[in-house]
Amino acid sequence: MGQCHCHKKRKDSQELTDVERAIEIVINNFQRYAVKGRKECLTPNELRELVVQQLPHLSQHVCSLDEKIECLGDPDEAKLEFGEYWAIIGEAAKGCRVKK
Amino acid sequence: MGQCHCHKKRKDSQELTDVERAIEIVINNFQRYAVKGRKECLTPNELRELVVQQLPHLSQHVCSLDEKIECLGDPDEAKLEFGEYWAIIGEAAKGCRVKK
């Protein structure tokens, strides 16, 4: 399985925008850690490793992230799909946005 | 209101990771277009403008995105919060990931 196929230059030879490239980085990050699930899903342990290595600052904005990961089930067997990964990051992103 | 405050160098002088910087780009993009809602929410028209200008390739992976935007309500008055924006992008990201 190759990288997220958005990265290829579009036929209309337009490069991805900065925002699209940023989204692609977040996608590829999921795939990089989703080894056991062959890029389709993460185990709780893989997610924890991802958070520690890739989201050291952002993860501080997700209250009780550790507990959330615990609740996902067997650390090595439970399966976290891309949508759930994206939702967790969205929570952190929401928390990280400018406070009123 | 300033930028997403994650971008400041952490006290422990560690820079953000690539993934954190990418997430920050997606956050700041929301804030850039959320003019009427003072960075807190987008109108459907602002979202449409964002999609056309910033997600020209990725948006092709969200089926009937236009209809989705239509359903959000009054193009100039309805309010789309950050979480909803993030979910729409997640849908596009899911669609864009490598096909089996």
Side-chain angles (χ1 to χ4, degrees):
Chain A
M1 272 188 196
Q3 291 290 6
C4 160
H5 57 74
C6 284
H7 80 279
K8 286 195 204 87
K9 226 168 161 182
R10 301 290 92 200
K11 269 193 218 90
D12 51 23
S13 82
Q14 266 191 329
E15 288 296 320
L16 294 180
T17 64
D18 288 348
V19 181
E20 288 175 324
R21 253 196 305 279
I23 293 164
E24 193 174 55
I25 288 171
V26 181
I27 294 171
N28 292 342
N29 185 56
F30 170 85
Q31 295 183 336
R32 185 174 145 206
Y33 283 83
V35 174
K36 206 168 176 188
R38 298 205 188 134
K39 300 192 175 191
E40 292 305 319
C41 52
L42 286 165
T43 65
N45 275 347
E46 286 170 336
L47 174 62
R48 191 173 274 118
E49 197 185 339
L50 181 157
V51 168
V52 167
Q53 293 174 2
Q54 302 298 333
L55 306 172
H57 310 106
L58 200 75
S59 54
Q60 293 161 23
H61 296 281
V62 185
C63 45
S64 59
L65 180 55
D66 246 348
E67 274 152 47
K68 280 195 172 92
I69 295 176
E70 296 273 333
C71 300
L72 292 173
D74 183 303
D76 253 331
E77 295 306 324
K79 291 183 174 142
L80 189 85
E81 305 251 324
F82 179 80
E84 295 161 287
Y85 157 76
W86 186 267
I88 287 176
I89 292 198
E91 236 184 279
K94 232 190 266 182
C96 150
R97 279 181 58 237
V98 175
K99 297 280 173 297
K100 285 240 160 89
Chain B
M1 275 191 196
Q3 292 289 8
C4 160
H5 59 71
C6 282
H7 79 280
K8 284 196 208 78
K9 225 169 164 181
R10 305 287 94 201
K11 275 197 215 82
D12 51 23
S13 82
Q14 265 191 329
E15 287 295 320
L16 293 182
T17 65
D18 287 348
V19 180
E20 288 176 325
R21 252 196 306 277
I23 293 163
E24 193 174 57
I25 287 172
V26 180
I27 294 171
N28 292 341
N29 184 55
F30 171 85
Q31 294 184 336
R32 184 175 145 208
Y33 283 83
V35 174
K36 207 166 178 191
R38 297 202 189 138
K39 299 192 176 189
E40 293 304 322
C41 52
L42 285 166
T43 65
N45 274 348
E46 286 170 337
L47 173 62
R48 191 171 276 117
E49 199 185 339
L50 182 158
V51 167
V52 168
Q53 294 174 1
Q54 301 299 332
L55 306 173
H57 309 108
L58 199 75
S59 54
Q60 294 160 22
H61 296 283
V62 185
C63 45
S64 59
L65 179 56
D66 245 347
E67 274 151 47
K68 280 191 173 93
I69 294 176
E70 296 272 333
C71 299
L72 291 173
D74 183 302
D76 255 329
E77 295 305 325
K79 292 183 172 144
L80 190 85
E81 304 251 326
F82 179 80
E84 294 162 287
Y85 157 77
W86 186 267
I88 287 176
I89 292 197
E91 231 184 282
K94 229 190 268 185
C96 149
R97 278 180 59 237
V98 174
K99 294 282 174 297
K100 284 238 161 98

